[in-house]
Amino acid sequence: EVQLVESGGGLVQPGGSLSLSCVASGFTFSSYRMSWVRQAPGKGLEWVSSIHTGSDTYYANSVKGRFVSSRDNAKNMVFLQMNSLKTADTAVYYCAALSFTRRAGYYFTYWGQGTQVTVSS
């Protein structure tokens, strides 16, 4: 079956750094653009970043310059290096595989279970 398993979340102080990892299985990982999406307490989903199959990266303005996404297709893994963390970055972070159709446009096909990131003193 398809699985995406995030790890690396935890408690970090403002200004600190944290690295998230996502291991994928059950589909052709190298063929998919991979995204990170987060959900803060009491709020909706917010797109964070995407890394395409050729490793081009895209970021939300809220994290641009602070977060860096990368991927290792040989290991079926995608990463999110988070630097200069702010309290507002507190959220559950999910990795997701991105798909495209002419009818629906871009959408997320597979999701992980999420990992909690808490930024607090």
Side-chain angles (χ1 to χ4, degrees), residues 4 24-35 51-55 71-78 96-101 106-107 109-110:
L4 290 89
S25 61
F27 65 99
T28 306
F29 176 82
S30 60
S31 297
Y32 284 83
R33 302 168 182 176
M34 297 298 299
S35 295
I51 181 165
H52 288 198
T53 56
S55 295
R71 67 191 296 162
D72 186 339
N73 288 339
K75 297 180 178 180
N76 282 8
M77 295 186 70
V78 61
L98 190 65
S99 296
F100 174 85
T101 65
Y106 289 100
Y107 63 96
T109 302
Y110 309 120

Side-chain angles (χ1 to χ4, degrees), residues 43-88:
K43 298 184 179 180
L45 294 170
E46 178 188 15
W47 171 77
V48 174
S49 68
S50 293
I51 181 165
H52 288 198
T53 56
S55 295
D56 289 339
T57 51
Y58 304 87
Y59 301 94
N61 288 335
S62 58
V63 306
K64 191 173 297 181
R66 300 188 297 119
F67 291 10
V68 179
S69 183
S70 59
R71 67 191 296 162
D72 186 339
N73 288 339
K75 297 180 178 180
N76 282 8
M77 295 186 70
V78 61
F79 308 93
L80 186 67
Q81 175 65 48
M82 304 184 293
N83 303 310
S84 301
L85 283 162
K86 306 174 180 179
T87 302

